Amino acid sequence: MRHIVRAQQFTPQLIERLFHRTKQFKKTDGRGFEDTLRRRFILNLFYEPSTRTRLSFDAAARRLGMEVLSTENAREMSSAVKGESLADTISYVTGLVDVAVVRHPQEGAAEEAASRNEVSIVNGGDGTGQHPTQAFLDLFTIEEFMGRLTNITLVCVGDLARGRTVRSLVYLFAKYPGNSIIFVSPPEYRIGEDIKEYLTRHNVPFSETSNLSETLEYGDVFYCTRPQLERPNPYGHVICDERMTEIRVEFTMRLVHVERMKPTAIILHPLPRTFELHPEIDSNPRAKWFPQAHNGLWTRMSILEYVCVG
Ligand code: CP
C-alpha cells in the first residue's frame, strides 16, 4: 500500500517518473484518461479549510474516473464533533474508499493515519508539519519555468516558522545538486532548527536574513508565504498591531522589489495570499503563482495514479 505523507519520501527517480506523467496529463488537457482509476473511490477528509488542495484533488480524481466522497469541514460536520478519533474514522472509511486525502491541524496526523496501513493516505497538510503534494507541484512549476532543478538559488520569504509548504519544498529542493537557499523572514517567523540541521547534514548551503531587499539580485525562485495567523507562534512571540504593521511594510513584495530581480527570476506562492504580494506585481512576467496553482490539478492526477496503481 502506498502513502504520501512526507516530502522526503520522493526520490529524484520517482519525481522524474511522476513529472513525465504529469506532463502527459497537462499536454492532453487530461483527455483520454477517464478510465484510468474507474470504480475507485477517494475521500477528501478535511479538518481545516482549503480551496486549492481539496478542489484540485477532487478534479484530478474525476478526470481519472474516480468517485469522490468529501467532508470539507470534518472538524464540525463529521463525528469528530462527537469525539471520534482520526484513527477510528480511518478504520471506518477503509471499507469505503481506496485513498483518503487528509488535512488536519495536528502535525503528524497523516503519518499516524498511514501507519495503520488500512487505506492509502495522502497528506493534504498537517498543521505546521508538511504539505508534500504542494511541494511536488511547486517543484514541477520550478522545472517548468526554469528548465532545470539544479544550480538554483531559492529565496523563501515570509512566515517560515509555521509554513508547512516551505518546509516540504526545502526537503525536495535539497535533493538536487548546486542548489542553495536564502531564508528571509522577520525574526519572529524564522525557519525551524530542524530544517537548518537537515540542510547542514545534506551539505546544502543556506543563509538567513530579515532584509528582503538584500536578496533581490541573487534569487532565481522567490517563494513567498503569508503569516499563518490561525496558528500559535512556535517561539511564543505575541505580535502586537504595531509590529504587524512593520512586518507588512517590510515583507510586501512590490514593483520596486521585483524590478531589481533577475529577468529570469520567478515568484511563487502556495496561496492564499494576504498582503505579501501586492496586486501591482500581478501582471509582471515573473509572477507565476496562478500557473503554479493550476499545476495542482495535473500533479495530483499523477500522485493519485501512483498511489492507486504504482
Ligand atoms: N496551497 C494550499 O494548500 O491552498 P489551500 O489551503 O487553499 O488548499
Side-chain angles (χ1 to χ4, degrees), residues 9 38 65 70 85 142 152 156 164 168 191 237 260 276:
Q9 73 186 85
R38 179 88 49 211
S70 198
S85 66
I142 291 172
I152 290 172
C156 299
R164 60 193 175 200
S168 288
I191 193 77
H237 296 293
R260 284 176 50 200
E276 59 282 354

Side-chain angles (χ1 to χ4, degrees), residues 49-54 103 131 134 165 270-272:
S50 167
T51 299
R52 279 146 291 275
T53 309
R54 188 175 59 80
R103 172 168 289 192
H131 195 348
Q134 175 70 45
T165 65
L271 303 177

Side-chain angles (χ1 to χ4, degrees), residues 46 48-56 103 124-125 131 133-134 137-138 164-165 223 226 269-272 292-293 300:
F46 278 56
E48 282 190 335
S50 167
T51 299
R52 279 146 291 275
T53 309
R54 188 175 59 80
L55 291 179
S56 61
R103 172 168 289 192
H131 195 348
T133 68
Q134 175 70 45
L137 79 87
D138 296 339
R164 60 193 175 200
T165 65
Y223 192 89
R226 72 180 171 92
H269 191 302
L271 303 177
Q292 171 194 6
R300 285 173 173 133

Side-chain angles (χ1 to χ4, degrees), residues 143-163:
E143 196 204 56
E144 187 171 55
F145 287 106
M146 302 301 296
R148 65 184 197 277
L149 288 174
T150 56
N151 301 307
I152 290 172
T153 298
L154 172 68
V155 183
C156 299
V157 189
D159 184 350
L160 309 181
R162 296 171 288 192

